[in-house]
Amino acid sequence: MDFLAIPPLRGALASIEPLTPEHAEELAAAVAEDELHKLWYTRLPSPDEVGAEIEKRLAGHAAGQVVPWTIRAADGRAVGMTTFLNIRPDHRRLEIGSTWIAASAQGTGVNTQVKLLQLTHAFETLHCIAVEFRTHWHNHRSRAAIAALGAKQDGVLRNHDLWRDGTMRDVVVFSIIDSEWPTVRLSLTEKLRTRS
């Protein structure tokens, strides 16, 4: 079980592939849609910062800290990024996070497909006992999307992060544990089936 492997994973509505510098131009266009990077409760790179963000994630992978992917929609467009982080092979757990998806691909099933791919890899290949998700308290869209996956809210870490503008971020923590995975997998698979 190689927790740092970056396998390409494919589904009907989306796929993920290892993040590379060659994705920078497409991802800059994706993050520019609806100026996603300007949302105050997220930490998304601006179009000009995408190259540096890719290098940061690749350096994190080289240091054994993250597993970064590019998200592709079924039409072949690169529409975002997603990452395994807080990787703990010794405890068979990790976090799925630092995910963003272009405005045009939101609500299309791309996120559901990507999370099914990642969760399947985490639980069935890496044999994780828990997968965690974290988001800003004020990111209501992200919180709803995580809950819709079937993750349960574990709690809120108050004043957990100092935000870029000097404010404090309360972090909402969710997780899916291995005993819940069969039901979560069935639910996600059915959601995707009804979109096909």
Side-chain angles (χ1 to χ4, degrees):
M1 296 180 298
D2 183 358
F3 273 67
L4 293 176
I6 317 175
L9 303 170
R10 307 210 183 296
L13 296 180
S15 61
I16 54 176
E17 62 192 54
L19 179 68
T20 71
E22 288 72 35
H23 295 135
E25 187 175 340
E26 283 183 281
L27 291 172
V31 81
E33 289 183 21
D34 287 358
E35 298 185 313
L36 286 178
H37 60 285
K38 292 187 176 179
L39 295 172
W40 68 272
Y41 49 76
T42 64
R43 287 184 178 151
L44 301 184
S46 70
D48 294 343
E49 297 167 334
V50 166
E53 178 65 19
I54 290 171
E55 292 304 322
K56 176 182 166 189
R57 293 188 192 206
L58 294 177
H61 180 257
Q65 299 168 339
V66 302
V67 174
W69 282 280
T70 294
I71 300 169
R72 284 205 182 274
D75 63 9
R77 293 179 303 135
V79 294
M81 297 183 196
T82 189
T83 308
F84 281 175
L85 57 155
N86 293 320
I87 300 167
R88 298 289 306 274
D90 52 335
H91 293 283
R92 295 188 4 238
R93 62 184 307 123
L94 54 81
E95 177 186 344
I96 296 175
S98 294
T99 301
W100 62 267
I101 296 173
S104 62
Q106 293 177 16
T108 64
V110 166
N111 185 55
T112 302
Q113 180 74 78
V114 167
K115 293 306 187 292
L116 177 59
L117 294 170
Q118 289 180 293
L119 288 164
T120 300
H121 181 63
F123 285 115
E124 298 179 17
T125 302
L126 301 178
H127 304 291
C128 285
I129 60 171
V131 174
E132 189 175 281
F133 303 84
R134 295 180 176 215
T135 192
H136 196 299
W137 172 264
H138 289 283
N139 192 341
H140 299 289
R141 185 176 190 141
S142 177
R143 288 170 60 187
I146 293 168
L149 295 173
K152 293 186 171 61
Q153 184 173 316
D154 295 320
V156 180
L157 304 175
R158 312 259 333 259
N159 277 5
H160 190 261
D161 294 329
L162 183 61
W163 212 235
R164 58 184 168 213
D165 62 0
T167 60
M168 297 303 298
R169 177 175 91 142
D170 291 346
V171 176
V172 186
V173 182
F174 295 82
S175 66
I176 298 169
I177 59 175
D178 55 351
S179 61
E180 298 166 340
W181 169 236
T183 303
V184 170
R185 179 182 56 215
L186 183 62
S187 173
L188 294 177
T189 301
E190 182 62 17
K191 284 179 185 177
L192 291 170
R193 188 189 67 74
T194 60
R195 285 187 168 275
S196 300

